[in-house]
Amino acid sequence: METNHETAQKSGFGSKLGFILAAAGSAVGLGNIWRFPYLAAKYGGGIFLLIYLILAVTFGFSLMITEIAIGRKTGKSVIGAYADISKKFSPLCWLAAFVPVIITPYYCVIGGWVLKYLLTFVTGQGSTAGGDGAFFSSFIGRAGQPTVCFLIFLLVTALVVMLGVQKGIERISKFMMPVLVLLTIGIAVYTLTLDGAAAGVKYYLLPNLEGFTAEKLLKTVAAAMGQLFYSMSLAMGIMVTYGSYMRKEDSLEQSVRQIEIFDTGIAILAGLIIVPAVFVFSGGDTNALNAGPSLMFITLPNVFGSMTGGQVVGAVFFVLVALAAMTSSISLMETVVSIIMEKFGLKRIPACIITVLCCLLLGMLSVLGYSTWSNVRLIGMQFLDFFDFISNNIMMPVVALLTCILIGWVVKPEYVEDEVLVSQKSFRARMLLSVMLRYVCPVCMIIILLTPFVTEI
Ligand code: PHE
């Protein structure tokens, strides 16, 4: 049902479906298509999937419903929202607001890389894109092309955000997300019919208990937790912002469940594309899956190169990745724009222009970090890796931890419950939410924060 809806603060989503697809669009991104499959393959296949699913319906559910409830209750962006709840926690606002400011630029740089690969496959030159990785390193090693690709990705994202919540974000999500689902199912069906794919499916879906020690279990849980957190776009103000655009009459609990199903479903399907395809290509060598970032930009182009119809499959695959990355970058930019609009009382278009300029500045650091300034290191990392590290490994877990303390202990979980009950008669997951917010999630966050240091030692 489509109705025009205005919250007290600003115009919001016009329908429940629009909200779910936009939030799912944010959640489904590079994390689902590239990171999830290789983590699952690395951490014992079926075991990782099982742990991930359990965490999604408990830990992920609680954090997501909390953020959306905060947004809907206050009707504000992340800055205003946390300050409304508690003055003492106002530094948290700034920390949370800073996360999308750091992520948006480098996310658009990677989005630009995806556009380059899409273009390469669409123009029938996909066979040049794999090899020993020379294509990828020579592409990112020059400043010109990555800059152009970054600019295109950034400007398309900005155009959608400029059109506003209903006319831009909602409309584009309603179109892009169904296309994304169809493409994912289509390629998965195709790769599953390849000779030898069954061994890959087995490896991916069946639990591999060989050598599965307590230590490995712990590492698997930590990896699943980190992935979940990133995959659901938590702790960066996105869900607070989108929550502030949500209609009061739509059920929060049901919406969050549906977003989760969407996000997890696409991740599992992406694994069904990548794991069997890489298996067929590498003759069952699982090391090919552990390639990190090069899995997407070097291994997969090789896989497509060796497959019958690989040019078309490769082109469709990169369309899929580009759509997933675009809906995520839209949500990131919208979060920054909503903060600027609210904080400085600006209209949407000027706020978008300021955001784009800011992204240009920071994004160029990431682009040039691989070319002109490739000698520059920040705590031993290139710019892009540095931005990724401080946002994902430090700032986001801290924001989530403080959010749990604020809601779990300062204002108490009833804060979320009250908002949930605005649009539904009972709240089945009430106890779960309380236990998660007060005890489990804070401990999980501390584990995520400490993991890099412990593994270092
Ligand atoms: N949730 C997205 C994914 O799975 C990642 C993302 C991170 C999106 C930050 C927006 C912001 O890839």
Side-chain angles (χ1 to χ4, degrees), residues 11 23 46 67 112 145 166 193 211 215 267 301 317 378 383 402-403:
S11 67
E67 289 200 12
Q145 272 196 25
Q166 270 191 30
T193 58
E215 188 196 337
F317 177 80
L378 299 170
F383 284 104
L402 292 176
T403 307

Side-chain angles (χ1 to χ4, degrees), residues 26-32 103 107 230-233 236 238 328 331-332:
S26 170
V28 174
L30 297 171
N32 302 56
I103 299 183
Y107 205 84
Y230 180 77
S231 185
M232 290 198 170
S233 304
M236 54 187 108
I238 293 182
S328 293
S331 71
L332 277 163

Side-chain angles (χ1 to χ4, degrees), residues 35-67:
R35 200 158 176 268
F36 182 89
Y38 88 74
L39 283 180
K42 182 170 171 190
Y43 290 103
I47 298 180
F48 180 87
L49 296 186
L50 189 69
I51 293 176
Y52 187 86
L53 287 177
I54 295 172
L55 286 174
V57 295
T58 51
F59 168 84
F61 169 83
S62 306
L63 283 178
M64 186 179 265
I65 202 164
T66 299
E67 289 200 12

Side-chain angles (χ1 to χ4, degrees), residues 179-193:
V179 174
L180 189 141
V181 173
L182 287 179
L183 295 183
T184 315
I185 295 176
I187 315 180
V189 169
Y190 181 77
T191 50
L192 290 179
T193 58

